[in-house]
Amino acid sequence: MDDHIKLINIIEQMEKMEQNIENLVYVEGAENTQDAKEFRDFLRELQREMLLTPNARYASNLYELLLLLKRPIGEWGFFNNSFLEDQKIDLNLRILSESTGITKEAHYLLREYESYDELATSPIREFMILCRGDKDNSGDPEAQKRYELFRNYIIDHPLVNMEETQVWVIKNLGNKERYLKIIQDCYQPFQIHRYRFACPHCKWTLEEKVDRQRGNQYYCLSEDCENEFDESMMLSNPIPKEITHRLHPRIQRTTVIPGLKEMELKLMLEKKKLKVLMYPNIERNGDIEIRSKDNHLIYVDVKDYKYPTALGARIISDLKKGLLKTDIIAIPNQKATKGYLKRVRSYLSEQPGLEPIRILSFKDVVKLTVEMSEKDA
C-alpha cells in the first residue's frame, strides 16, 4: 500500500473516533459493538506495520498513538518521507491538534482523497439515468434542460428550506414523484444551532471548533473554501432560521465544489464570445461543450485536485472503468502550476494508453478553443 494511502487510512479512522468515540473505543462493561471491533482491528494492524517498519516509532496502546498523532508525520519513521514529499504532502502535518481534534490540514487531506465519483452511488446518478430515459434520450433538448437545471440548482442551493425546494421542483422539473424523491435524497436535515454559519465560497455549513490558542476555528470540505473565509462577513451573516436542510456532505464535496470550478471555466469561455453548454449529452461527453464558429465541438472535463497523483489516479481509474469522457482535462489556474502539470503528465506517462490525454490549465483551454475558433473563421 502506498504511503499516502496508509496516511489517509489513519486520518479516516481517527476522524471516525472523533465523531463516535463512545462506540469506537471499547471500555470494559460497555457494549462491544462492530464499530469497536473494527477500530481494534485497525489499531492492531497499524501496530503490526509499525513493528515491521525499521526505525518507526511504535505506539503500544491507544494513548501512545494519540501522542504520536500530535507529532509531525515526518518524525514518525513510519512513512517514506521522500514519497510523501513527491505527493506534495507536508512532512510537518500533524493529524491531531492539542485541543480541537483532527487538524485542518489532516481534515482537508482526507477530503481530497475521498472518493470523487459522485455519479457512481448518489442521487445525482439516479437523476441522470432518469433524464436519459429507458430509451436513448441523446439530443433530447427537454431532457438536457432538466438535467442542467437540476445540477445548477444543487450547485446554487447547498442550504435550503425543503418546502420551497419542493415547490421549485414542481414548477421547473414537473410534478413527478421521482423528481421530488431524488432531490429530497440529496439533502439532510441539520441542527441550525450547531451550524451557525455558511461557507462564503461554497455556501455549505461550516463546522466550528474552539482552539484555546487560536480561538474559533472554522472547517469546510475543501481547503479552497478556507482561502475564501472572511470571518467578519461570516459572523455578520448567520444561516437564516428558516433553512431546514443541507446537501449531504458527499454531494457537496463531489458535485457542488467542483461545479463551482466548472462554472468558473464556463464564464471564462463566454467572455471570449464562445458558445458553451454544461453537461453535454446529459454528461456523456464531459462537463463542458464548447462550440467554435464553424460548429466544431470541443469537450472538456474539469478536475480539481490539490495533489497531482490524486488526479492521476482518478484519470487512470476512469480509464479502466470506461468512464473517461474526453481527452481534454482542465485544471483550475490556481493549481495548474508548471510543476503540478509536469507531475501529472509524468505520472500518466508511466501508464499505457494515456498518451492522447491533454492536461491543461483553464487559461490554456481558453487559448486552445479561441485559436481553433479563429482558424474556423
Side-chain angles (χ1 to χ4, degrees), residues 152-276:
N152 288 343
Y153 184 86
I154 294 295
I155 292 169
D156 292 337
H157 297 85
L159 303 178
V160 299
N161 176 287
M162 185 51 70
E163 289 185 5
E164 293 178 358
T165 294
Q166 291 169 342
V167 171
W168 180 88
V169 171
I170 294 169
K171 180 179 178 181
N172 294 277
L173 303 180
N175 190 9
K176 200 168 189 175
E177 190 173 335
R178 282 187 69 186
Y179 292 154
L180 287 168
K181 183 180 183 307
I182 289 171
I183 206 157
Q184 287 169 348
D185 289 345
C186 289
Y187 291 89
Q188 61 180 194
F190 71 99
Q191 298 172 321
I192 195 83
H193 67 273
R194 181 179 175 188
Y195 298 99
R196 300 183 297 160
F197 306 109
C199 172
H201 180 59
C202 73
K203 313 305 181 189
W204 200 65
T205 53
L206 286 175
E207 184 176 349
E208 186 176 351
K209 293 183 179 181
V210 179
D211 186 302
R212 289 195 297 267
Q213 295 179 332
R214 295 184 292 175
N216 287 10
Q217 296 289 292
Y218 297 97
Y219 294 68
C220 196
L221 296 177
S222 167
E223 194 169 357
D224 288 349
C225 291
E226 183 175 358
N227 294 334
E228 300 290 332
F229 284 3
D230 181 335
E231 199 163 306
S232 61
M233 184 176 72
M234 288 190 310
L235 299 181
S236 61
N237 291 282
I239 297 171
K241 292 182 179 179
E242 60 268 21
I243 296 298
T244 61
H245 289 69
R246 68 176 184 176
L247 283 172
H248 281 281
R250 178 177 170 83
I251 294 177
Q252 181 70 15
R253 178 70 182 93
T254 62
T255 301
V256 174
I257 294 175
L260 294 172
K261 297 299 182 182
E262 293 160 5
M263 293 299 179
E264 179 184 328
L265 178 55
K266 176 177 182 284
L267 290 174
M268 290 174 66
L269 292 162
E270 288 177 337
K271 285 181 179 178
K272 297 295 183 179
K273 309 300 181 184
L274 294 163
K275 294 181 180 179
V276 180

Side-chain angles (χ1 to χ4, degrees), residues 88-105:
K88 306 301 181 186
I89 296 175
D90 188 354
L91 298 182
N92 290 315
L93 180 143
R94 290 173 166 84
I95 296 177
L96 291 184
S97 70
E98 290 296 332
S99 59
T100 60
I102 302 293
T103 62
K104 280 190 176 184
E105 294 77 14

Side-chain angles (χ1 to χ4, degrees), residues 13 50 55 71 143 169 250 265 269 272 275 279 302 310 335 352:
Q13 289 295 330
M50 286 175 166
N55 303 316
R71 300 181 68 93
V169 171
R250 178 177 170 83
L265 178 55
L269 292 162
K272 297 295 183 179
K275 294 181 180 179
Y279 317 117
V302 174
K335 293 187 174 69

